[in-house]
Amino acid sequence: RLTGHTRGVSSIDWSPDGSMLLSASGNRVWVWDMNTGAFVRHFTHRRQPVLAVAWLPDGVRFVCGGADKSISMWHVEDGCECRWKVDQVTDLKVSQTGNHVVALCRERRLATLNLDSGTCWYADDGQKATAMAL
C-alpha cells in the first residue's frame, strides 16, 4: 500500500526492472520499493505540480516535468538534479537509449531534449500535437 501522498497522483512509472515505482503528487516525486511496498524517498520539484514522470533505462535516474515549465533529471541515490527550461509539460517519454526525452507541452508542441548535450528543440512545423498523452 502506497501511503503518504497529500494530493492526487498525476503520473506513475515503473522502473525498467520493475522493482521500483515513481509517483508524482503535488510538487513531489515519490520513489517506492515495490518488493517491499516501502517508501524510499521523495524529490521536490520547485513549487508547481509535477505532471509527468519517466525512468531512464539505467534505472537509477528519472525525469519529471510539470507546471513550472521545466524538465528535471534526478539521480535516485544521491539526489543530484539537472534542470532544463521548456514549456509546461503534460507528458514525457524517454528514448530507449536514454539520450533523449520527448515532452508533450501544454501549448501542444513537442519538445525534444538531448540529455547528453543539454540542447532542446521544438517540432515547429506549424502543426499542433493532437495527443493528450505520449
Side-chain angles (χ1 to χ4, degrees), residues 3 6 11 20 22 35 42 56 63-64 74 77 80 83 86 96 98 112 114 120-121 123 129-130 132 134:
T3 58
T6 57
S11 182
M20 302 204 328
L22 295 174
N35 294 319
H42 65 76
L56 271 69
V63 291
C64 66
W74 297 87
E77 295 170 6
C80 184
R83 185 172 167 233
V86 295
Q96 290 178 337
T112 303
N114 182 316
C120 181
W121 65 94
T130 58
M132 296 302 290
L134 295 174

Side-chain angles (χ1 to χ4, degrees), residues 9-16 18-24 29-32 34 52-57 61-63 92-94:
V9 174
S10 58
S11 182
I12 59 171
D13 194 37
W14 288 98
S15 64
S19 67
M20 302 204 328
L21 183 75
L22 295 174
S23 61
V29 176
W30 302 68
V31 181
W32 305 91
M34 296 311 292
V53 294
W55 284 99
L56 271 69
R61 295 176 297 160
F62 68 89
V63 291
L92 50 78
K93 297 292 183 216
V94 177

Side-chain angles (χ1 to χ4, degrees), residues 42-109:
H42 65 76
F43 298 84
T44 302
H45 182 75
R46 310 292 181 260
R47 296 182 188 190
Q48 299 293 322
V50 176
L51 302 175
V53 294
W55 284 99
L56 271 69
D58 63 16
V60 296
R61 295 176 297 160
F62 68 89
V63 291
C64 66
D68 74 336
K69 299 183 178 182
S70 71
I71 294 174
S72 292
M73 179 174 64
W74 297 87
H75 192 284
V76 172
E77 295 170 6
D78 65 18
C80 184
E81 177 193 18
C82 296
R83 185 172 167 233
W84 297 271
K85 201 74 175 145
V86 295
D87 290 337
Q88 181 175 331
V89 175
T90 58
D91 198 8
L92 50 78
K93 297 292 183 216
V94 177
S95 67
Q96 290 178 337
T97 60
N99 297 23
H100 294 90
V101 174
V102 174
L104 179 62
C105 298
R106 183 173 183 200
E107 292 78 8
R108 296 195 181 262
R109 296 194 310 163

